[in-house]
Amino acid sequence: MRITRRQAIGGLAAVATLPATRLFAQSKLALPTSPVALNVADVAGNLALTQTAIENYAKAKPELVSKITFTKAPAPELPGKLKAQQAANRLDIDLVLTGTDALSAGLEQDLWVKLLPDHSASLPDLAAIYLEPAHRMLALGKDHGVIVTYYPSGPLLEYMPDRVKKVPATAEELLAWAKENPNKFLYARPANSGPGRTFLMGLPYLLGDADPHDPVKGWDKTWAYLKELHKYIEYYPTGTGALMKELGEGTRDMTVSTTGWDINPRVLGVVPKEAAVATLKGFHWVADAHYMCVPKGIADEKLAVLLDLMSFLLTPEQQAFTYDKGYFYPGPAVKDVPLSMAPQESQDAIAEFGRKEYADWIANNPVEIPLDPSAMVVAFRRWDEEVAGKKS
């Protein structure tokens, strides 16, 4: 078929009206001609896993990075801070390392740059490199976050065997144990604790609730359970570190945990090595991940460097550092990163403080994806108001 000049011009005019993001979604941003300084904010404890790799990037690419500054903050504080900076056009955070908590709040408040597929050309083929559950976790970022670390998480029970003679085997037995041993069971506020959050989202599976992904209409058993359990809990720490300290000091006998929060505090001596873990009947893993998010308002030249940094952090060689000392065990989000690639100190720590049963539990129990961001925000709000805010 012959195409006339008028048809050709008309076609070009139609293309010209298409959104620029559609035309150039797969083009790469230009890297800067001089190095930039980057500010990285961590609200998930992720730097324990990735700081060495990020510093490796600065060493490998001095033509792109002049300096990297690291800051840490509690997850609930970050969204408000970012929103205020963006409103004032005075953004001083370039990259955020976050769990699903601040990720969700940031999505709700429209704080993040859309990374996928707009900048896919600057990133590796994520579907090809990620572990299967990590790739499923990517959906929670709603195209605004790229996963950097992953683990199956929990919820696990962690306890001191010399003080807990009969370990609960079901959620009902855990409630009965808490009633018989008031103030000896503790968990942290879910909005600011990986184990607390995993416990909250794991209960619907343990209790056989109507819809584990609907905290409004599908969690009747879960909310009733948590309100009853509340009667035997003294208070809720605002972070997991404080909780583990109490377990280690003997103030508490039992808590909820994850693979990483089991291994790492014992490596560090915060919790005695002899602490034990267990699962409850009906156990499903509720996976967790850390995301790399970029706040809106970042200049294109910095975004180009950040995308290059993300790609670097997802190489197997840099992912091997995420084994750390078991903090997010295993840690790597990508395939084909065995423990043997990790630094020797990581291998030694996991050899001594890891648990043989983890391989079996990971292989033979379902791995579920957490609530989507909007549902997670609702769940946190309901827990704050209806559980922690409820008078005993």
Side-chain angles (χ1 to χ4, degrees), residues 353-388:
F353 294 93
R355 298 188 190 275
K356 293 180 180 178
E357 55 262 46
Y358 281 155
D360 176 63
W361 291 354
I362 292 170
N364 295 302
N365 288 282
V367 179
E368 308 292 350
I369 300 305
L371 297 176
D372 69 40
S374 59
M376 189 175 294
V377 170
V378 170
F380 289 164
R381 189 177 298 133
R382 285 196 68 174
W383 186 89
D384 285 343
E385 294 173 358
E386 298 178 25
V387 180

PDB file of all heavy atoms in Angstrom, residues 353-388:
ATOM      1  N   PHE A 353      26.146 -19.727  63.862  1.00  0.00           N
ATOM      2  CA  PHE A 353      24.881 -19.287  64.456  1.00  0.00           C
ATOM      3  C   PHE A 353      23.648 -19.566  63.596  1.00  0.00           C
ATOM      4  O   PHE A 353      22.527 -19.341  64.039  1.00  0.00           O
ATOM      5  CB  PHE A 353      24.945 -17.788  64.773  1.00  0.00           C
ATOM      6  CG  PHE A 353      25.944 -17.446  65.839  1.00  0.00           C
ATOM      7  CD1 PHE A 353      27.247 -17.091  65.512  1.00  0.00           C
ATOM      8  CD2 PHE A 353      25.582 -17.486  67.178  1.00  0.00           C
ATOM      9  CE1 PHE A 353      28.170 -16.768  66.505  1.00  0.00           C
ATOM     10  CE2 PHE A 353      26.500 -17.171  68.173  1.00  0.00           C
ATOM     11  CZ  PHE A 353      27.804 -16.811  67.844  1.00  0.00           C
ATOM     12  N   GLY A 354      23.863 -20.033  62.360  1.00  0.00           N
ATOM     13  CA  GLY A 354      22.717 -20.390  61.530  1.00  0.00           C
ATOM     14  C   GLY A 354      22.050 -21.656  62.047  1.00  0.00           C
ATOM     15  O   GLY A 354      22.508 -22.270  63.019  1.00  0.00           O
ATOM     16  N   ARG A 355      20.974 -22.045  61.409  1.00  0.00           N
ATOM     17  CA  ARG A 355      20.235 -23.229  61.866  1.00  0.00           C
ATOM     18  C   ARG A 355      19.993 -24.161  60.680  1.00  0.00           C
ATOM     19  O   ARG A 355      19.520 -23.735  59.627  1.00  0.00           O
ATOM     20  CB  ARG A 355      18.910 -22.820  62.485  1.00  0.00           C
ATOM     21  CG  ARG A 355      19.074 -21.936  63.719  1.00  0.00           C
ATOM     22  CD  ARG A 355      17.736 -21.725  64.420  1.00  0.00           C
ATOM     23  NE  ARG A 355      17.804 -20.705  65.461  1.00  0.00           N
ATOM     24  CZ  ARG A 355      18.185 -20.922  66.716  1.00  0.00           C
ATOM     25  NH1 ARG A 355      18.554 -22.135  67.090  1.00  0.00           N
ATOM     26  NH2 ARG A 355      18.188 -19.935  67.596  1.00  0.00           N
ATOM     27  N   LYS A 356      20.275 -25.443  60.886  1.00  0.00           N
ATOM     28  CA  LYS A 356      20.097 -26.431  59.822  1.00  0.00           C
ATOM     29  C   LYS A 356      18.639 -26.531  59.388  1.00  0.00           C
ATOM     30  O   LYS A 356      18.348 -26.800  58.225  1.00  0.00           O
ATOM     31  CB  LYS A 356      20.605 -27.798  60.292  1.00  0.00           C
ATOM     32  CG  LYS A 356      22.111 -27.853  60.500  1.00  0.00           C
ATOM     33  CD  LYS A 356      22.563 -29.232  60.963  1.00  0.00           C
ATOM     34  CE  LYS A 356      24.074 -29.272  61.176  1.00  0.00           C
ATOM     35  NZ  LYS A 356      24.523 -30.616  61.667  1.00  0.00           N
ATOM     36  N   GLU A 357      17.708 -26.304  60.324  1.00  0.00           N
ATOM     37  CA  GLU A 357      16.292 -26.466  59.976  1.00  0.00           C
ATOM     38  C   GLU A 357      15.798 -25.409  58.995  1.00  0.00           C
ATOM     39  O   GLU A 357      14.766 -25.591  58.343  1.00  0.00           O
ATOM     40  CB  GLU A 357      15.408 -26.454  61.235  1.00  0.00           C
ATOM     41  CG  GLU A 357      15.551 -25.250  62.125  1.00  0.00           C
ATOM     42  CD  GLU A 357      16.472 -25.501  63.303  1.00  0.00           C
ATOM     43  OE1 GLU A 357      17.564 -26.076  63.087  1.00  0.00           O
ATOM     44  OE2 GLU A 357      16.096 -25.130  64.435  1.00  0.00           O
ATOM     45  N   TYR A 358      16.519 -24.284  58.864  1.00  0.00           N
ATOM     46  CA  TYR A 358      16.037 -23.228  57.972  1.00  0.00           C
ATOM     47  C   TYR A 358      15.928 -23.704  56.524  1.00  0.00           C
ATOM     48  O   TYR A 358      14.979 -23.358  55.820  1.00  0.00           O
ATOM     49  CB  TYR A 358      16.918 -21.987  58.068  1.00  0.00           C
ATOM     50  CG  TYR A 358      16.620 -21.136  59.283  1.00  0.00           C
ATOM     51  CD1 TYR A 358      17.584 -20.305  59.833  1.00  0.00           C
ATOM     52  CD2 TYR A 358      15.368 -21.167  59.879  1.00  0.00           C
ATOM     53  CE1 TYR A 358      17.309 -19.530  60.950  1.00  0.00           C
ATOM     54  CE2 TYR A 358      15.078 -20.400  60.997  1.00  0.00           C
ATOM     55  CZ  TYR A 358      16.061 -19.581  61.532  1.00  0.00           C
ATOM     56  OH  TYR A 358      15.779 -18.818  62.633  1.00  0.00           O
ATOM     57  N   ALA A 359      16.898 -24.469  56.062  1.00  0.00           N
ATOM     58  CA  ALA A 359      16.845 -24.949  54.673  1.00  0.00           C
ATOM     59  C   ALA A 359      15.585 -25.770  54.443  1.00  0.00           C
ATOM     60  O   ALA A 359      14.899 -25.613  53.422  1.00  0.00           O
ATOM     61  CB  ALA A 359      18.097 -25.761  54.352  1.00  0.00           C
ATOM     62  N   ASP A 360      15.258 -26.629  55.391  1.00  0.00           N
ATOM     63  CA  ASP A 360      14.050 -27.454  55.274  1.00  0.00           C
ATOM     64  C   ASP A 360      12.791 -26.601  55.354  1.00  0.00           C
ATOM     65  O   ASP A 360      11.857 -26.779  54.558  1.00  0.00           O
ATOM     66  CB  ASP A 360      14.042 -28.509  56.383  1.00  0.00           C
ATOM     67  CG  ASP A 360      12.769 -29.330  56.391  1.00  0.00           C
ATOM     68  OD1 ASP A 360      12.509 -30.037  55.401  1.00  0.00           O
ATOM     69  OD2 ASP A 360      11.999 -29.250  57.376  1.00  0.00           O
ATOM     70  N   TRP A 361      12.738 -25.672  56.299  1.00  0.00           N
ATOM     71  CA  TRP A 361      11.546 -24.823  56.446  1.00  0.00           C
ATOM     72  C   TRP A 361      11.330 -23.960  55.202  1.00  0.00           C
ATOM     73  O   TRP A 361      10.198 -23.762  54.772  1.00  0.00           O
ATOM     74  CB  TRP A 361      11.681 -23.940  57.683  1.00  0.00           C
ATOM     75  CG  TRP A 361      11.610 -24.681  58.983  1.00  0.00           C
ATOM     76  CD1 TRP A 361      11.330 -26.004  59.163  1.00  0.00           C
ATOM     77  CD2 TRP A 361      11.831 -24.143  60.296  1.00  0.00           C
ATOM     78  NE1 TRP A 361      11.363 -26.324  60.503  1.00  0.00           N
ATOM     79  CE2 TRP A 361      11.674 -25.203  61.222  1.00  0.00           C
ATOM     80  CE3 TRP A 361      12.171 -22.881  60.773  1.00  0.00           C
ATOM     81  CZ2 TRP A 361      11.815 -25.021  62.594  1.00  0.00           C
ATOM     82  CZ3 TRP A 361      12.320 -22.695  62.144  1.00  0.00           C
ATOM     83  CH2 TRP A 361      12.139 -23.754  63.056  1.00  0.00           C
ATOM     84  N   ILE A 362      12.412 -23.428  54.645  1.00  0.00           N
ATOM     85  CA  ILE A 362      12.280 -22.582  53.456  1.00  0.00           C
ATOM     86  C   ILE A 362      11.803 -23.413  52.267  1.00  0.00           C
ATOM     87  O   ILE A 362      10.980 -22.960  51.463  1.00  0.00           O
ATOM     88  CB  ILE A 362      13.614 -21.875  53.144  1.00  0.00           C
ATOM     89  CG1 ILE A 362      13.927 -20.835  54.240  1.00  0.00           C
ATOM     90  CG2 ILE A 362      13.576 -21.200  51.780  1.00  0.00           C
ATOM     91  CD1 ILE A 362      15.321 -20.246  54.154  1.00  0.00           C
ATOM     92  N   ALA A 363      12.307 -24.629  52.159  1.00  0.00           N
ATOM     93  CA  ALA A 363      11.954 -25.475  51.014  1.00  0.00           C
ATOM     94  C   ALA A 363      10.541 -26.031  51.112  1.00  0.00           C
ATOM     95  O   ALA A 363       9.898 -26.280  50.084  1.00  0.00           O
ATOM     96  CB  ALA A 363      12.956 -26.620  50.890  1.00  0.00           C
ATOM     97  N   ASN A 364      10.023 -26.214  52.323  1.00  0.00           N
ATOM     98  CA  ASN A 364       8.793 -26.991  52.485  1.00  0.00           C
ATOM     99  C   ASN A 364       7.623 -26.254  53.119  1.00  0.00           C
ATOM    100  O   ASN A 364       6.660 -26.887  53.568  1.00  0.00           O
ATOM    101  CB  ASN A 364       9.110 -28.259  53.296  1.00  0.00           C
ATOM    102  CG  ASN A 364      10.058 -29.180  52.556  1.00  0.00           C
ATOM    103  OD1 ASN A 364       9.765 -29.607  51.442  1.00  0.00           O
ATOM    104  ND2 ASN A 364      11.211 -29.465  53.151  1.00  0.00           N
ATOM    105  N   ASN A 365       7.678 -24.932  53.159  1.00  0.00           N
ATOM    106  CA  ASN A 365       6.534 -24.146  53.622  1.00  0.00           C
ATOM    107  C   ASN A 365       6.234 -23.054  52.601  1.00  0.00           C
ATOM    108  O   ASN A 365       7.153 -22.515  51.981  1.00  0.00           O
ATOM    109  CB  ASN A 365       6.820 -23.520  54.994  1.00  0.00           C
ATOM    110  CG  ASN A 365       6.814 -24.555  56.106  1.00  0.00           C
ATOM    111  OD1 ASN A 365       5.773 -25.003  56.566  1.00  0.00           O
ATOM    112  ND2 ASN A 365       8.008 -24.949  56.530  1.00  0.00           N
ATOM    113  N   PRO A 366       4.953 -22.717  52.421  1.00  0.00           N
ATOM    114  CA  PRO A 366       4.601 -21.702  51.424  1.00  0.00           C
ATOM    115  C   PRO A 366       5.246 -20.354  51.750  1.00  0.00           C
ATOM    116  O   PRO A 366       5.370 -19.981  52.920  1.00  0.00           O
ATOM    117  CB  PRO A 366       3.070 -21.610  51.526  1.00  0.00           C
ATOM    118  CG  PRO A 366       2.640 -22.858  52.219  1.00  0.00           C
ATOM    119  CD  PRO A 366       3.767 -23.256  53.112  1.00  0.00           C
ATOM    120  N   VAL A 367       5.645 -19.639  50.711  1.00  0.00           N
ATOM    121  CA  VAL A 367       6.177 -18.278  50.867  1.00  0.00           C
ATOM    122  C   VAL A 367       5.124 -17.315  50.329  1.00  0.00           C
ATOM    123  O   VAL A 367       4.816 -17.325  49.138  1.00  0.00           O
ATOM    124  CB  VAL A 367       7.507 -18.083  50.111  1.00  0.00           C
ATOM    125  CG1 VAL A 367       8.014 -16.655  50.287  1.00  0.00           C
ATOM    126  CG2 VAL A 367       8.554 -19.082  50.604  1.00  0.00           C
ATOM    127  N   GLU A 368       4.559 -16.506  51.214  1.00  0.00           N
ATOM    128  CA  GLU A 368       3.509 -15.560  50.839  1.00  0.00           C
ATOM    129  C   GLU A 368       4.091 -14.162  50.677  1.00  0.00           C
ATOM    130  O   GLU A 368       5.083 -13.808  51.312  1.00  0.00           O
ATOM    131  CB  GLU A 368       2.405 -15.530  51.906  1.00  0.00           C
ATOM    132  CG  GLU A 368       1.842 -16.901  52.276  1.00  0.00           C
ATOM    133  CD  GLU A 368       1.048 -17.560  51.171  1.00  0.00           C
ATOM    134  OE1 GLU A 368       0.754 -16.885  50.164  1.00  0.00           O
ATOM    135  OE2 GLU A 368       0.710 -18.755  51.313  1.00  0.00           O
ATOM    136  N   ILE A 369       3.435 -13.383  49.855  1.00  0.00           N
ATOM    137  CA  ILE A 369       3.813 -11.988  49.656  1.00  0.00           C
ATOM    138  C   ILE A 369       3.037 -11.137  50.663  1.00  0.00           C
ATOM    139  O   ILE A 369       1.864 -11.409  50.942  1.00  0.00           O
ATOM    140  CB  ILE A 369       3.499 -11.554  48.215  1.00  0.00           C
ATOM    141  CG1 ILE A 369       4.287 -12.427  47.248  1.00  0.00           C
ATOM    142  CG2 ILE A 369       3.838 -10.088  47.993  1.00  0.00           C
ATOM    143  CD1 ILE A 369       5.777 -12.460  47.491  1.00  0.00           C
ATOM    144  N   PRO A 370       3.660 -10.118  51.241  1.00  0.00           N
ATOM    145  CA  PRO A 370       2.954  -9.272  52.209  1.00  0.00           C
ATOM    146  C   PRO A 370       1.751  -8.567  51.586  1.00  0.00           C
ATOM    147  O   PRO A 370       1.522  -8.623  50.375  1.00  0.00           O
ATOM    148  CB  PRO A 370       4.018  -8.253  52.638  1.00  0.00           C
ATOM    149  CG  PRO A 370       5.313  -8.854  52.257  1.00  0.00           C
ATOM    150  CD  PRO A 370       5.056  -9.703  51.056  1.00  0.00           C
ATOM    151  N   LEU A 371       1.012  -7.881  52.428  1.00  0.00           N
ATOM    152  CA  LEU A 371      -0.093  -7.057  51.965  1.00  0.00           C
ATOM    153  C   LEU A 371       0.386  -6.043  50.942  1.00  0.00           C
ATOM    154  O   LEU A 371       1.529  -5.584  50.998  1.00  0.00           O
ATOM    155  CB  LEU A 371      -0.712  -6.300  53.141  1.00  0.00           C
ATOM    156  CG  LEU A 371      -1.356  -7.117  54.255  1.00  0.00           C
ATOM    157  CD1 LEU A 371      -1.809  -6.182  55.372  1.00  0.00           C
ATOM    158  CD2 LEU A 371      -2.515  -7.932  53.737  1.00  0.00           C
ATOM    159  N   ASP A 372      -0.498  -5.672  50.026  1.00  0.00           N
ATOM    160  CA  ASP A 372      -0.114  -4.603  49.117  1.00  0.00           C
ATOM    161  C   ASP A 372      -0.052  -3.294  49.904  1.00  0.00           C
ATOM    162  O   ASP A 372      -0.571  -3.197  51.021  1.00  0.00           O
ATOM    163  CB  ASP A 372      -1.048  -4.518  47.910  1.00  0.00           C
ATOM    164  CG  ASP A 372      -2.455  -4.051  48.242  1.00  0.00           C
ATOM    165  OD1 ASP A 372      -2.623  -3.137  49.062  1.00  0.00           O
ATOM    166  OD2 ASP A 372      -3.405  -4.596  47.651  1.00  0.00           O
ATOM    167  N   PRO A 373       0.629  -2.289  49.376  1.00  0.00           N
ATOM    168  CA  PRO A 373       0.906  -1.077  50.160  1.00  0.00           C
ATOM    169  C   PRO A 373      -0.314  -0.416  50.792  1.00  0.00           C
ATOM    170  O   PRO A 373      -0.274  -0.036  51.963  1.00  0.00           O
ATOM    171  CB  PRO A 373       1.583  -0.156  49.134  1.00  0.00           C
ATOM    172  CG  PRO A 373       2.273  -1.094  48.211  1.00  0.00           C
ATOM    173  CD  PRO A 373       1.347  -2.267  48.080  1.00  0.00           C
ATOM    174  N   SER A 374      -1.397  -0.285  50.050  1.00  0.00           N
ATOM    175  CA  SER A 374      -2.567   0.394  50.621  1.00  0.00           C
ATOM    176  C   SER A 374      -3.172  -0.410  51.758  1.00  0.00           C
ATOM    177  O   SER A 374      -3.566   0.138  52.793  1.00  0.00           O
ATOM    178  CB  SER A 374      -3.613   0.659  49.535  1.00  0.00           C
ATOM    179  OG  SER A 374      -4.026  -0.557  48.924  1.00  0.00           O
ATOM    180  N   ALA A 375      -3.228  -1.736  51.604  1.00  0.00           N
ATOM    181  CA  ALA A 375      -3.763  -2.585  52.663  1.00  0.00           C
ATOM    182  C   ALA A 375      -2.850  -2.592  53.883  1.00  0.00           C
ATOM    183  O   ALA A 375      -3.315  -2.652  55.030  1.00  0.00           O
ATOM    184  CB  ALA A 375      -3.968  -4.007  52.141  1.00  0.00           C
ATOM    185  N   MET A 376      -1.534  -2.513  53.648  1.00  0.00           N
ATOM    186  CA  MET A 376      -0.596  -2.497  54.763  1.00  0.00           C
ATOM    187  C   MET A 376      -0.757  -1.238  55.601  1.00  0.00           C
ATOM    188  O   MET A 376      -0.734  -1.294  56.844  1.00  0.00           O
ATOM    189  CB  MET A 376       0.845  -2.613  54.255  1.00  0.00           C
ATOM    190  CG  MET A 376       1.860  -2.811  55.363  1.00  0.00           C
ATOM    191  SD  MET A 376       3.532  -3.084  54.749  1.00  0.00           S
ATOM    192  CE  MET A 376       3.346  -4.658  53.917  1.00  0.00           C
ATOM    193  N   VAL A 377      -0.945  -0.114  54.950  1.00  0.00           N
ATOM    194  CA  VAL A 377      -1.166   1.138  55.679  1.00  0.00           C
ATOM    195  C   VAL A 377      -2.413   1.022  56.542  1.00  0.00           C
ATOM    196  O   VAL A 377      -2.433   1.435  57.714  1.00  0.00           O
ATOM    197  CB  VAL A 377      -1.278   2.324  54.701  1.00  0.00           C
ATOM    198  CG1 VAL A 377      -1.741   3.581  55.422  1.00  0.00           C
ATOM    199  CG2 VAL A 377       0.065   2.579  54.019  1.00  0.00           C
ATOM    200  N   VAL A 378      -3.462   0.422  56.003  1.00  0.00           N
ATOM    201  CA  VAL A 378      -4.708   0.225  56.758  1.00  0.00           C
ATOM    202  C   VAL A 378      -4.473  -0.703  57.946  1.00  0.00           C
ATOM    203  O   VAL A 378      -4.940  -0.449  59.066  1.00  0.00           O
ATOM    204  CB  VAL A 378      -5.809  -0.342  55.844  1.00  0.00           C
ATOM    205  CG1 VAL A 378      -7.023  -0.772  56.666  1.00  0.00           C
ATOM    206  CG2 VAL A 378      -6.223   0.688  54.805  1.00  0.00           C
ATOM    207  N   ALA A 379      -3.732  -1.789  57.708  1.00  0.00           N
ATOM    208  CA  ALA A 379      -3.465  -2.744  58.784  1.00  0.00           C
ATOM    209  C   ALA A 379      -2.673  -2.099  59.918  1.00  0.00           C
ATOM    210  O   ALA A 379      -2.976  -2.309  61.102  1.00  0.00           O
ATOM    211  CB  ALA A 379      -2.714  -3.955  58.232  1.00  0.00           C
ATOM    212  N   PHE A 380      -1.655  -1.308  59.569  1.00  0.00           N
ATOM    213  CA  PHE A 380      -0.872  -0.618  60.598  1.00  0.00           C
ATOM    214  C   PHE A 380      -1.763   0.330  61.387  1.00  0.00           C
ATOM    215  O   PHE A 380      -1.668   0.411  62.629  1.00  0.00           O
ATOM    216  CB  PHE A 380       0.270   0.178  59.968  1.00  0.00           C
ATOM    217  CG  PHE A 380       1.382  -0.665  59.408  1.00  0.00           C
ATOM    218  CD1 PHE A 380       2.305  -0.111  58.519  1.00  0.00           C
ATOM    219  CD2 PHE A 380       1.536  -1.992  59.766  1.00  0.00           C
ATOM    220  CE1 PHE A 380       3.346  -0.870  58.010  1.00  0.00           C
ATOM    221  CE2 PHE A 380       2.574  -2.764  59.260  1.00  0.00           C
ATOM    222  CZ  PHE A 380       3.477  -2.202  58.374  1.00  0.00           C
ATOM    223  N   ARG A 381      -2.601   1.056  60.702  1.00  0.00           N
ATOM    224  CA  ARG A 381      -3.472   2.024  61.371  1.00  0.00           C
ATOM    225  C   ARG A 381      -4.441   1.326  62.320  1.00  0.00           C
ATOM    226  O   ARG A 381      -4.638   1.756  63.455  1.00  0.00           O
ATOM    227  CB  ARG A 381      -4.230   2.844  60.317  1.00  0.00           C
ATOM    228  CG  ARG A 381      -5.006   4.037  60.878  1.00  0.00           C
ATOM    229  CD  ARG A 381      -5.652   4.818  59.747  1.00  0.00           C
ATOM    230  NE  ARG A 381      -4.652   5.367  58.835  1.00  0.00           N
ATOM    231  CZ  ARG A 381      -4.724   5.287  57.512  1.00  0.00           C
ATOM    232  NH1 ARG A 381      -5.736   4.671  56.931  1.00  0.00           N
ATOM    233  NH2 ARG A 381      -3.779   5.830  56.766  1.00  0.00           N
ATOM    234  N   ARG A 382      -5.019   0.230  61.842  1.00  0.00           N
ATOM    235  CA  ARG A 382      -5.960  -0.506  62.696  1.00  0.00           C
ATOM    236  C   ARG A 382      -5.254  -1.084  63.926  1.00  0.00           C
ATOM    237  O   ARG A 382      -5.788  -1.051  65.030  1.00  0.00           O
ATOM    238  CB  ARG A 382      -6.629  -1.640  61.906  1.00  0.00           C
ATOM    239  CG  ARG A 382      -7.690  -1.162  60.933  1.00  0.00           C
ATOM    240  CD  ARG A 382      -8.580  -2.303  60.469  1.00  0.00           C
ATOM    241  NE  ARG A 382      -9.418  -2.827  61.554  1.00  0.00           N
ATOM    242  CZ  ARG A 382     -10.364  -3.735  61.386  1.00  0.00           C
ATOM    243  NH1 ARG A 382     -10.592  -4.251  60.178  1.00  0.00           N
ATOM    244  NH2 ARG A 382     -11.076  -4.160  62.410  1.00  0.00           N
ATOM    245  N   TRP A 383      -4.031  -1.606  63.717  1.00  0.00           N
ATOM    246  CA  TRP A 383      -3.299  -2.154  64.858  1.00  0.00           C
ATOM    247  C   TRP A 383      -3.017  -1.051  65.875  1.00  0.00           C
ATOM    248  O   TRP A 383      -3.215  -1.242  67.075  1.00  0.00           O
ATOM    249  CB  TRP A 383      -1.992  -2.794  64.396  1.00  0.00           C
ATOM    250  CG  TRP A 383      -1.257  -3.497  65.512  1.00  0.00           C
ATOM    251  CD1 TRP A 383      -1.397  -4.778  65.902  1.00  0.00           C
ATOM    252  CD2 TRP A 383      -0.327  -2.888  66.431  1.00  0.00           C
ATOM    253  NE1 TRP A 383      -0.602  -5.045  66.994  1.00  0.00           N
ATOM    254  CE2 TRP A 383       0.066  -3.886  67.341  1.00  0.00           C
ATOM    255  CE3 TRP A 383       0.202  -1.602  66.556  1.00  0.00           C
ATOM    256  CZ2 TRP A 383       0.972  -3.653  68.364  1.00  0.00           C
ATOM    257  CZ3 TRP A 383       1.112  -1.370  67.585  1.00  0.00           C
ATOM    258  CH2 TRP A 383       1.497  -2.380  68.462  1.00  0.00           C
ATOM    259  N   ASP A 384      -2.532   0.110  65.405  1.00  0.00           N
ATOM    260  CA  ASP A 384      -2.239   1.215  66.313  1.00  0.00           C
ATOM    261  C   ASP A 384      -3.463   1.631  67.102  1.00  0.00           C
ATOM    262  O   ASP A 384      -3.386   1.897  68.308  1.00  0.00           O
ATOM    263  CB  ASP A 384      -1.717   2.426  65.517  1.00  0.00           C
ATOM    264  CG  ASP A 384      -0.280   2.250  65.037  1.00  0.00           C
ATOM    265  OD1 ASP A 384       0.423   1.363  65.561  1.00  0.00           O
ATOM    266  OD2 ASP A 384       0.138   3.007  64.137  1.00  0.00           O
ATOM    267  N   GLU A 385      -4.594   1.709  66.433  1.00  0.00           N
ATOM    268  CA  GLU A 385      -5.805   2.240  67.076  1.00  0.00           C
ATOM    269  C   GLU A 385      -6.571   1.184  67.868  1.00  0.00           C
ATOM    270  O   GLU A 385      -7.030   1.468  68.980  1.00  0.00           O
ATOM    271  CB  GLU A 385      -6.743   2.835  66.007  1.00  0.00           C
ATOM    272  CG  GLU A 385      -6.164   4.064  65.312  1.00  0.00           C
ATOM    273  CD  GLU A 385      -7.013   4.532  64.143  1.00  0.00           C
ATOM    274  OE1 GLU A 385      -8.044   3.867  63.850  1.00  0.00           O
ATOM    275  OE2 GLU A 385      -6.658   5.563  63.523  1.00  0.00           O
ATOM    276  N   GLU A 386      -6.686  -0.024  67.314  1.00  0.00           N
ATOM    277  CA  GLU A 386      -7.590  -1.004  67.911  1.00  0.00           C
ATOM    278  C   GLU A 386      -6.886  -2.001  68.823  1.00  0.00           C
ATOM    279  O   GLU A 386      -7.541  -2.644  69.652  1.00  0.00           O
ATOM    280  CB  GLU A 386      -8.324  -1.765  66.807  1.00  0.00           C
ATOM    281  CG  GLU A 386      -9.198  -0.853  65.935  1.00  0.00           C
ATOM    282  CD  GLU A 386      -9.880  -1.631  64.823  1.00  0.00           C
ATOM    283  OE1 GLU A 386     -10.084  -2.862  64.981  1.00  0.00           O
ATOM    284  OE2 GLU A 386     -10.188  -1.007  63.787  1.00  0.00           O
ATOM    285  N   VAL A 387      -5.566  -2.167  68.635  1.00  0.00           N
ATOM    286  CA  VAL A 387      -4.834  -3.123  69.483  1.00  0.00           C
ATOM    287  C   VAL A 387      -4.000  -2.370  70.516  1.00  0.00           C
ATOM    288  O   VAL A 387      -4.293  -2.399  71.703  1.00  0.00           O
ATOM    289  CB  VAL A 387      -3.970  -4.059  68.649  1.00  0.00           C
ATOM    290  CG1 VAL A 387      -3.211  -5.034  69.556  1.00  0.00           C
ATOM    291  CG2 VAL A 387      -4.816  -4.847  67.636  1.00  0.00           C
ATOM    292  N   ALA A 388      -2.983  -1.643  70.058  1.00  0.00           N
ATOM    293  CA  ALA A 388      -2.109  -0.936  70.988  1.00  0.00           C
ATOM    294  C   ALA A 388      -2.852   0.183  71.709  1.00  0.00           C
ATOM    295  O   ALA A 388      -2.558   0.486  72.876  1.00  0.00           O
ATOM    296  CB  ALA A 388      -0.908  -0.339  70.244  1.00  0.00           C
TER     297      ALA A 388
END
